[in-house]
Amino acid sequence: MFSYLRERFASHLRERCRRRARLVSKDGRCNIEFGNVEQSRFVFLIDIWTTILDLRWRYKMTIFISAFLGSWFLFGLLWYVVAYIHKDLPEFNPSINHTPCVENINGLTSAFLFSLETQVTIGYGFRCVTEQCATAIFLLIFQSILGVIINSFMCGAILAKISRSKNRAKTITFSRNAVISKRGGKLCLLIRVANLRKSLLIGSHIYGKLLRTTITPEGETIILDQVNIEFVVDAGNENLFFISPLTIYHIIDKNSPFFHMAAETLLQQDFELVVFLDGTVEATSATCQVRTSYIPEEVLWGYRFAPIVSKTKEGKYRVDFQNFSKTVAVETPHCAFCLYNEKEAKAKEKKGYDNPGFVLAEVNETSDTKM
């Protein structure tokens, strides 16, 4: 009893590990880690703009707040140093005729407030620079210019992060499973994809990559070897009219890597099918890419997708997303090889063949009868 439970638990763990071993998650994120990179991580600071855009929101907002608070406090210290050197602070007991570099700076707090007012151009009118110090005038100009740069960079990064096409890609969804069944008399692998917005993706193009481990004739083992998978719809695979859900399919012919797979051996295969959809967002003209993946457990042999589009009495077309990933069992050959052999056999039956060993023998019949 315990040995049976132990075997079941071990097989369950192996199954879980196999399910998690995928390069691309269902939502399109890549599961890859770089190790022993020879270049220093400071190389990412060379392309600081892309680095900032790729950061998560919590880190981006931390940098956003720290950039402004840090610059305000740094220049606040500099304004305090200017007031200290010029002896404008109350502890120096300045005379009545003393003209300070900056009016009404009495300490570090007031210097910080003046720095904030200068950089964000609020200007309450209570604190201001006088013509007494050239250092103060130069510092005012320098902070104003640097403040504009910081404001432009950080606000531009926030705006670019919000308007990235990656967010548009979240409104493109793929079916939970891929199915294999007959379509147009051919065995095909089918996937359903839908655009959740009414705005179109211009110039959409869809294709796939089959990732698997192969061994070359020279004995080299290639992990994540990529094989092109051509997907088409009835109108072609480019410039899709992507206003309603589409069912894309890959024809399993003799050139397909799925040709030698069967319904009984599909789950024993080790592959990952990654599907890509490229297009241009109609509203912003920015390009975006949507991707998902399917492992053998997510490919259903002998099923087709349930209907999803219908027409109402008012003449409108209605899309029922409740059936988006719903599948229906259909009669399907258990392998592509069997389907093509069956077609060839039927073609031979219709065509027919002559038997060269067949000889027609003539028989003489007599009509004599005895009375």
Side-chain angles (χ1 to χ4, degrees):
M1 180 65 181
F2 290 103
S3 60
Y4 173 77
L5 293 177
R6 185 169 58 253
E7 292 178 0
R8 292 283 295 179
F9 181 72
S11 63
H12 178 70
L13 289 179
R14 287 194 299 268
E15 185 67 21
R16 287 189 61 184
C17 293
R18 183 178 180 181
R19 285 179 179 271
R20 291 179 180 176
R22 60 195 311 160
L23 179 65
V24 180
S25 62
K26 297 297 288 184
D27 57 357
R29 291 178 297 177
C30 295
N31 180 26
I32 190 168
E33 179 181 350
F34 297 101
N36 299 325
V37 180
E38 295 181 359
Q39 293 182 342
S40 173
R41 293 189 179 272
F42 290 102
V43 73
F44 295 103
L45 295 178
I46 299 176
D47 187 12
I48 186 64
W49 178 254
T50 305
T51 303
I52 294 295
L53 289 183
D54 289 339
L55 290 176
R56 297 192 177 187
W57 274 108
R58 54 178 177 268
Y59 302 122
K60 184 183 292 294
M61 295 306 300
T62 301
I63 294 176
F64 181 85
I65 296 172
S66 300
F68 284 102
L69 289 179
S71 61
W72 297 340
F73 184 73
L74 176 62
F75 280 99
L77 290 177
L78 294 178
W79 287 115
Y80 180 80
V81 170
V82 170
Y84 184 86
I85 294 176
H86 198 253
K87 297 182 179 180
D88 298 335
L89 301 177
E91 55 262 28
F92 292 105
N93 297 318
S95 62
I96 300 176
N97 298 327
H98 178 76
T99 303
C101 292
V102 181
E103 296 282 356
N104 298 311
I105 286 187
N106 302 318
L108 186 59
T109 303
S110 57
F112 174 80
L113 292 176
F114 179 72
S115 173
L116 189 152
E117 294 173 16
T118 301
Q119 189 163 329
V120 300
T121 65
I122 294 178
Y124 292 116
F126 182 69
R127 300 179 182 89
C128 61
V129 178
T130 63
E131 67 277 6
Q132 185 69 25
C133 299
T135 304
I137 297 174
F138 173 79
L139 184 59
L140 177 66
I141 296 173
F142 181 72
Q143 184 178 5
S144 299
I145 296 175
L146 186 61
V148 171
I149 295 174
I150 295 175
N151 188 61
S152 301
F153 183 86
M154 298 309 302
C155 292
I158 295 295
L159 181 60
K161 181 76 171 179
I162 294 174
S163 60
R164 289 187 78 178
S165 57
K166 184 184 293 187
N167 297 326
R168 176 64 175 93
K170 294 180 180 179
T171 56
I172 306 296
T173 180
F174 289 88
S175 57
R176 185 171 54 254
N177 298 100
V179 297
I180 296 179
S181 60
K182 292 176 63 177
R183 185 184 180 94
K186 301 178 181 179
L187 192 64
C188 300
L189 183 142
L190 300 97
I191 297 173
R192 179 172 278 174
V193 58
N195 179 14
L196 301 182
R197 289 186 179 272
K198 292 185 178 180
S199 59
L200 298 178
L201 282 180
I202 304 173
S204 300
H205 173 64
I206 196 161
Y207 57 97
K209 299 286 184 181
L210 187 70
L211 308 179
R212 59 185 180 182
T213 301
T214 59
I215 300 177
T216 62
E218 295 77 17
E220 179 185 3
T221 301
I222 303 177
I223 301 177
L224 298 180
D225 186 24
Q226 300 184 15
V227 180
N228 289 328
I229 302 294
E230 293 294 333
F231 282 98
V232 296
V233 295
D234 294 333
N237 64 339
E238 293 187 5
N239 299 324
L240 305 176
F241 185 50
F242 203 12
I243 192 65
S244 63
L246 298 175
T247 300
I248 61 174
Y249 59 91
H250 163 70
I251 300 176
I252 303 178
D253 54 11
K254 295 182 180 180
N255 297 323
S256 171
F258 294 95
F259 183 77
H260 299 286
M261 299 183 188
E264 297 82 3
T265 62
L266 180 63
L267 296 180
Q268 302 174 4
Q269 303 293 327
D270 185 15
F271 67 85
E272 180 178 351
L273 176 61
V274 184
V275 184
F276 302 87
L277 173 64
D278 298 338
T280 303
V281 182
E282 186 179 28
T284 61
S285 298
T287 58
C288 71
Q289 183 183 87
V290 194
R291 51 187 177 266
T292 189
S293 69
Y294 299 92
I295 55 178
E297 290 80 5
E298 296 170 346
V299 179
L300 306 179
W301 195 295
Y303 289 83
R304 65 172 174 83
F305 291 110
I308 191 175
V309 181
S310 61
K311 195 172 183 179
T312 63
K313 296 180 180 180
E314 295 79 10
K316 295 183 178 180
Y317 292 94
R318 183 175 183 271
V319 180
D320 185 8
F321 280 95
Q322 186 177 359
N323 296 333
F324 180 72
S325 296
K326 186 177 180 180
T327 56
V328 179
V330 292
E331 183 179 355
T332 306
H334 74 284
C335 66
F337 188 75
C338 299
L339 175 63
Y340 289 103
N341 283 348
E342 180 183 351
K343 287 185 176 181
E344 292 178 0
K346 289 182 179 179
K348 289 180 181 180
E349 289 179 1
K350 291 181 180 180
K351 185 176 181 180
Y353 289 89
D354 293 334
N355 186 359
F358 178 77
V359 178
L360 179 63
E362 296 183 356
V363 179
N364 295 326
E365 296 182 358
T366 59
S367 59
D368 297 338
T369 57
K370 293 181 179 181
M371 297 298 294

